[in-house]
Amino acid sequence: MKDRLISGGIAGLIAGVIQNIYGAVIKATGITDRSFSDFAEVLIMNKPAQTLIGTIVGFIGHIIVGTMFGVLFSYIILLTSHRYFVLKGLGYGAILWFLLMGFGTIFNLAQFQDIPPTPALTTFIGALIYGVTLAYSLRIIDKNTRLL
């Protein structure tokens, strides 16, 4: 019997880490003023912490969210197929970006208010990176393990 929960969780964790690395790099280089961990900090603590512990909490929160969405994606693939998995990953990432940014704005969370175009675009690119990495990770798990 194959285990969608574990395989999707592992793929989501991998994709979340890659997305976090991308976010840290674009923030460190000054391309944007916020990373994915910053958004997770706000979801968990209702404000940006701006401390090392706050960054760690944000990173952990983002990885947990990435893992949960990985599990959901693995069940979506189960209901459809592995065909066009990259396209499905891109679409999934884009939909997550729209929904999460939209809900953050609707609920007036800090970091989500009045987002300038550059952070909006960099987070969209990060969401696409997450979706493609998630799809590829799930595909590799499928081919190389008995989890799926």
Side-chain angles (χ1 to χ4, degrees):
M1 186 151 181
K2 301 190 182 225
D3 194 331
R4 293 304 225 187
L5 181 74
I6 299 300
S7 58
I10 292 169
L13 182 119
I14 291 167
V17 168
I18 299 295
Q19 187 183 38
N20 250 318
I21 291 169
Y22 161 78
V25 168
I26 61 169
K27 185 177 179 182
T29 57
I31 295 171
T32 187
D33 62 345
R34 58 198 90 188
S35 69
F36 296 96
S37 292
D38 296 337
F39 287 109
E41 282 177 28
V42 169
L43 289 174
I44 294 167
M45 298 178 284
N46 202 33
K47 63 182 177 180
Q50 315 239 346
T51 64
L52 177 61
I53 292 174
T55 301
I56 292 168
V57 168
F59 178 79
I60 291 168
H62 183 262
I63 296 304
I64 290 170
V65 168
T67 300
M68 291 184 324
F69 283 125
V71 171
L72 181 62
F73 185 74
S74 72
Y75 282 102
I76 290 170
I77 292 297
L78 176 67
L79 295 174
T80 60
S81 74
H82 283 278
R83 294 179 61 202
Y84 309 108
F85 71 99
V86 173
L87 188 57
K88 288 176 184 176
L90 283 171
Y92 189 69
I95 290 168
L96 287 177
W97 173 80
F98 184 79
L99 290 175
L100 294 175
M101 296 302 267
F103 285 128
T105 301
I106 288 168
F107 291 114
N108 263 343
L109 296 174
Q111 296 292 90
F112 291 89
Q113 297 172 352
D114 300 320
I115 297 176
T118 300
L121 182 60
T122 58
T123 55
F124 178 68
I125 293 167
L128 297 179
I129 290 169
Y130 173 82
V132 170
T133 306
L134 176 62
Y136 269 112
S137 298
L138 197 58
R139 183 69 165 211
I140 289 168
I141 291 168
D142 181 26
K143 287 185 181 237
N144 296 321
T145 70
R146 295 180 183 259
L147 289 175
L148 289 175

